[in-house]
Amino acid sequence: KKVILSRVEGTHHFERLSEADMAIEAIDENLDRKKRVFRKIDENLPNGRLIVSNTGTISITELASETTRPGLVAGLHFLYPAYRRAVVEVISGLHTLETTVDLLIRLLRHLNKSGVRVVEYPGYITTRLIVPYLNEAMYMLMEGVASAEDIDIAMKLGFDFPSGPLSLA
């Protein structure tokens, strides 16, 4: 771990990207800010290098449109907490090349993560599936079907979920 981390360097100085093999953007989920960052990365990162967003909600196609290399732009959605989750969603935009996705899948294997391929769609896989689950648990609580504790216990013990929907929410 220490050897790998010694080769990873974060920076706020875009001109340092001229030395980088890849850029991973991981700022807050604000489309305008991400677009500005993508333009700066594209200006400073050598041609042929990947630009990746660690987004869980923003369109990869829209971010890629801010660059001169839309085929080399993808998303990596690390689920929280990333150190405990073995899966990472690899999101391709409209113009993302298959070779870009393949490279990211191989990178994730080196990080002991499983990459799942996702064609860009709101919510990707995990968020799209978890939101109705959480909402239904909240409706059940609101309707008085069961207490929050019993809803969580039922799902934890009934389906071996590590936490119940309401504690997760």
Side-chain angles (χ1 to χ4, degrees), residues 26-105:
I27 65 170
D28 61 318
E29 296 291 274
N30 178 300
L31 179 60
D32 291 332
R33 286 186 64 212
K34 282 188 183 281
K35 283 181 168 184
R36 284 195 301 274
V37 168
F38 263 66
R39 284 191 297 270
K40 295 293 283 181
I41 291 171
D42 190 55
E43 291 169 12
N44 291 278
L45 190 68
N47 291 333
R49 308 288 169 84
L50 273 58
I51 304 175
V52 177
S53 179
N54 180 33
T55 183
T57 60
I58 293 185
S59 166
I60 298 303
T61 301
E62 193 161 353
L63 292 174
S65 72
E66 299 296 318
T67 75
T68 59
R69 62 186 96 196
L72 300 177
V73 176
L76 287 178
H77 181 213
F78 288 83
L79 280 74
Y80 180 82
Y83 71 92
R84 291 185 58 202
R85 303 293 178 238
V87 71
V88 178
E89 293 174 308
V90 182
I91 305 99
S92 58
L94 186 60
H95 303 291
T96 305
L97 299 171
E98 192 62 29
T99 54
T100 299
V101 174
D102 290 342
L103 181 65
L104 292 171
I105 296 284

Side-chain angles (χ1 to χ4, degrees), residues 2-168:
K2 289 180 182 180
V3 172
I4 292 170
L5 288 176
S6 73
R7 296 188 307 240
V8 176
E9 186 177 338
T11 183
H12 294 282
H13 305 286
F14 288 100
E15 59 275 1
R16 297 277 317 277
L17 292 174
S18 65
E19 307 162 20
D21 294 323
M22 174 174 62
I24 302 176
E25 164 276 315
I27 65 170
D28 61 318
E29 296 291 274
N30 178 300
L31 179 60
D32 291 332
R33 286 186 64 212
K34 282 188 183 281
K35 283 181 168 184
R36 284 195 301 274
V37 168
F38 263 66
R39 284 191 297 270
K40 295 293 283 181
I41 291 171
D42 190 55
E43 291 169 12
N44 291 278
L45 190 68
N47 291 333
R49 308 288 169 84
L50 273 58
I51 304 175
V52 177
S53 179
N54 180 33
T55 183
T57 60
I58 293 185
S59 166
I60 298 303
T61 301
E62 193 161 353
L63 292 174
S65 72
E66 299 296 318
T67 75
T68 59
R69 62 186 96 196
L72 300 177
V73 176
L76 287 178
H77 181 213
F78 288 83
L79 280 74
Y80 180 82
Y83 71 92
R84 291 185 58 202
R85 303 293 178 238
V87 71
V88 178
E89 293 174 308
V90 182
I91 305 99
S92 58
L94 186 60
H95 303 291
T96 305
L97 299 171
E98 192 62 29
T99 54
T100 299
V101 174
D102 290 342
L103 181 65
L104 292 171
I105 296 284
R106 286 196 316 272
L107 170 66
L108 291 169
R109 278 192 208 118
H110 288 293
L111 299 174
N112 293 318
K113 303 281 185 187
S114 293
V116 293
R117 297 166 188 265
V118 183
V119 175
E120 180 177 76
Y121 193 87
Y124 310 139
I125 296 171
T126 56
T127 304
R128 185 174 177 186
L129 286 172
I130 200 70
V131 167
Y133 168 67
L134 299 178
N135 284 343
E136 191 59 32
M138 289 178 216
Y139 286 132
M140 291 175 73
L141 180 64
M142 180 182 71
E143 293 166 353
V145 172
S147 70
E149 295 79 17
D150 285 341
I151 292 168
D152 280 350
I153 288 169
M155 296 310 292
K156 285 170 55 177
L157 300 180
F159 291 94
D160 291 326
F161 289 179
S163 64
L166 297 169
S167 60
L168 178 62

